[in-house]
Amino acid sequence: MSVTLSIIVLAVSFVVLILLRFPIAMVLALSSLLVAFTLDLPLAVIGQRMVQGLNSYSLLAIPFFILAGQIMSEGKLALRLINLAQLSVGAIRGGLAMVNCVACMLFGNISGSAAADASSVGSVMIPMMKKKNYDADFSVAVTSAAAIQGVVMPPSHNMILYALAAGGVSISSLFLAGIVPCVILLVSLMTTSYIIARKRGYPKGEPVKLKEVPRIIADGFLSMFTAVIILGGIFSGWFTATESGAIACVYAFILTFFVYRDLPLSYVKVIFLKTFRTVSMVLFLIAASNAFAWVLTYLKIPALMTEGLLAISENPVIVLLIINVLLLVLGAPLDMGPLILIMTPILFPVVTALGMDPVHFGIVLILNLGIGLITPPVGTVLFVGSAIGKVSIEAATKRLIPYFCVMVAVLLLITYVPGLSMWLPNLVNGS
């Protein structure tokens, strides 16, 4: 069978299986098998590529980061970080909305997951905001938008996925590159929240009692020290991302079960079961994506994509705009992890042909697809926030529009000003 027909088989099978609501990992694996069958390739090749996709020491970091985040999110970490955020911006008009933004950034610095951000911080902040006469749909909107910081702020396991899909981009450089964009995103979300709060007359927050300040700072520091272990160890070169994840798990376990005693020891079983479920899905997805990426390369789809985009225009501004629009559209119906693994092999040759740094592209890709997590019809984070706030997706989406516009503006800023992402990696690496 010709290559053109095989590409048609790949595209049609992928779309049909998605419409039939197959799990995305199964879609990737089955589409790869169909193409191998039509090309008369040994089907064992697909199995070998799937196994090869998991044969990476760096992948061990993902289970450790997920476990550390799961331990901390099951305890009362979110509440302690909210109290810490309250010290800085809680007394301003619309302070609870801004506390929400800061708390999501701090929690994302530990969990590295937007969904974990939305569920952990949202379960505390949304009822609290509603109690203080904030509209429920606005409370859900600001929580959902703020939770996206978790995918950009290190340690994000999405950065590890990108590093593997891109062929070994430095994980520590990606972590460093995410810090400044996340700060810009935080300031933008807080500014938007303040403007909306003043327009709608939302109340000021209550100032924290002076006698509680030392305890709040101490609790917040102990909770944040998990991120210090992970990032400090990696950036200093004392240990790898995998080793830092393992040490963070031990610290999170001691803090949650022995220092604060948030949970009984018997709850460890529940945490491990939830972690195993998440890790098994992620690893199967990575394996299937590796096989799918190999099929794409075999059919020379990345090369065709590069030729096609550069045929439209060789101007980097235009091509990057097209890529951003494409990713924003794809991010609405598809989840973030699969898209990172699918689109990185396709777009990587395009951006490198334009002279774009792989680390810079990683931040652009991750932020772009993160926005997809709050975009209907399959906005995972939006669904989590709406379920907690008990509001409809339509109502929450309407309130999200200002935040969506601000986040797209930040995305374009990060895309066209590489120094915002590359300043810290270049500074640390001495470039």
Side-chain angles (χ1 to χ4, degrees):
M1 185 178 290
S2 69
V3 171
T4 303
L5 202 52
S6 296
I7 293 175
I8 294 172
V9 169
L10 181 69
V12 171
S13 62
F14 184 87
V15 172
V16 169
L17 291 172
I18 287 287
L19 293 176
L20 291 175
R21 304 182 70 84
F22 274 64
I24 187 65
M26 292 295 296
V27 172
L28 299 177
L30 290 174
S31 295
S32 301
L33 284 169
L34 280 173
V35 172
F37 180 77
T38 57
L39 291 172
D40 292 326
L41 295 172
L43 298 184
V45 171
I46 302 301
Q48 290 169 355
R49 292 293 168 177
M50 291 179 71
V51 173
Q52 186 179 353
L54 298 177
N55 188 22
S56 172
Y57 173 76
S58 299
L59 272 180
L60 284 174
I62 294 178
F64 287 131
F65 285 149
I66 292 174
L67 177 58
Q70 190 70 49
I71 293 171
M72 301 296 269
S73 63
E74 292 289 338
K76 296 180 180 178
L77 169 66
L79 181 58
R80 296 189 187 97
L81 294 179
I82 287 169
N83 290 336
L84 184 63
Q86 188 101 11
L87 287 178
S88 56
V89 293
I92 304 172
R93 181 169 297 280
L96 278 183
M98 286 185 274
V99 166
N100 201 334
C101 296
V102 175
C104 282
M105 189 272 286
L106 295 175
F107 192 82
N109 192 224
I110 297 169
S111 70
S113 166
D117 255 14
S119 59
S120 298
V121 176
S123 62
V124 178
M125 285 302 307
I126 292 176
M128 187 185 297
M129 291 177 70
K130 290 165 69 175
K131 188 177 179 181
K132 296 295 182 180
N133 297 320
Y134 286 78
D135 296 325
D137 50 3
F138 171 75
S139 303
V140 170
V142 68
T143 303
S144 301
I148 303 306
Q149 296 171 101
V151 304
V152 184
M153 192 68 180
S156 169
H157 60 263
N158 292 297
M159 292 182 178
I160 300 175
L161 292 180
Y162 169 76
L164 295 170
V169 174
S170 170
I171 295 174
S172 61
S173 293
L174 283 168
F175 282 180
L176 283 167
I179 294 174
V180 172
C182 189
V183 171
I184 295 172
L185 184 59
L186 171 64
V187 173
S188 302
L189 295 174
M190 289 178 66
T191 303
T192 306
S193 298
Y194 177 75
I195 293 171
I196 294 173
R198 284 194 56 95
K199 182 178 179 181
R200 297 183 185 172
Y202 291 138
K204 293 182 179 181
E206 298 176 2
V208 179
K209 294 179 181 179
L210 191 61
K211 65 179 182 180
E212 295 180 357
V213 171
R215 176 186 58 81
I216 291 173
I217 293 175
D219 287 346
F221 175 77
L222 285 175
S223 300
M224 286 299 298
F225 199 70
T226 308
V228 175
I229 292 173
I230 295 173
L231 302 181
I234 295 172
F235 297 157
S236 66
W238 289 348
F239 33 76
T240 64
T242 301
E243 292 163 349
S244 69
I247 295 170
C249 286
V250 175
Y251 177 79
F253 180 83
I254 294 172
L255 191 67
T256 301
F257 287 96
F258 295 104
V259 176
Y260 290 118
R261 299 182 180 179
D262 292 333
L263 301 167
L265 275 173
S266 59
Y267 203 78
V268 171
K269 180 181 178 182
V270 176
I271 289 174
F272 274 111
L273 283 174
K274 289 183 177 180
T275 302
F276 289 154
R277 288 193 191 103
T278 304
V279 170
S280 61
M281 289 188 292
V282 170
L283 293 183
F284 181 51
L285 174 61
I286 291 171
S289 298
N290 193 67
F292 191 80
W294 179 83
V295 169
L296 292 177
T297 305
Y298 188 89
L299 296 175
K300 300 181 180 179
I301 291 177
L304 293 173
M305 178 68 78
T306 303
E307 292 175 7
L309 285 174
L310 294 181
I312 296 173
S313 174
E314 293 187 3
N315 186 334
V317 175
I318 302 298
V319 176
L320 290 176
L321 182 62
I322 294 171
I323 289 174
N324 272 321
V325 171
L326 173 65
L327 292 174
L328 285 170
V329 171
L330 291 175
L334 298 174
D335 203 8
M336 183 175 185
L339 275 176
I340 291 174
L341 296 166
I342 294 169
M343 297 307 296
T344 299
I346 295 175
L347 296 177
F348 194 79
V350 180
V351 296
T352 52
L354 294 173
M356 191 177 191
D357 191 285
V359 172
H360 176 211
F361 175 63
I363 300 303
V364 171
L365 174 74
I366 289 168
L367 177 56
N368 190 312
L369 298 181
I371 295 173
L373 296 176
I374 57 169
T375 307
V378 195
T380 308
V381 172
L382 179 58
F383 272 85
V384 171
S386 297
I388 295 172
K390 297 178 181 178
V391 300
S392 67
I393 296 295
E394 292 78 12
T397 301
K398 184 179 178 181
R399 296 298 188 195
L400 259 172
I401 292 174
Y403 290 101
F404 185 86
C405 295
V406 167
M407 294 174 78
V408 170
V410 172
L411 170 65
L412 294 175
L413 179 66
I414 300 302
T415 300
Y416 294 117
V417 186
L420 296 174
S421 301
M422 299 306 300
W423 174 68
L424 269 179
N426 291 338
L427 181 67
V428 173
N429 297 328
S431 300

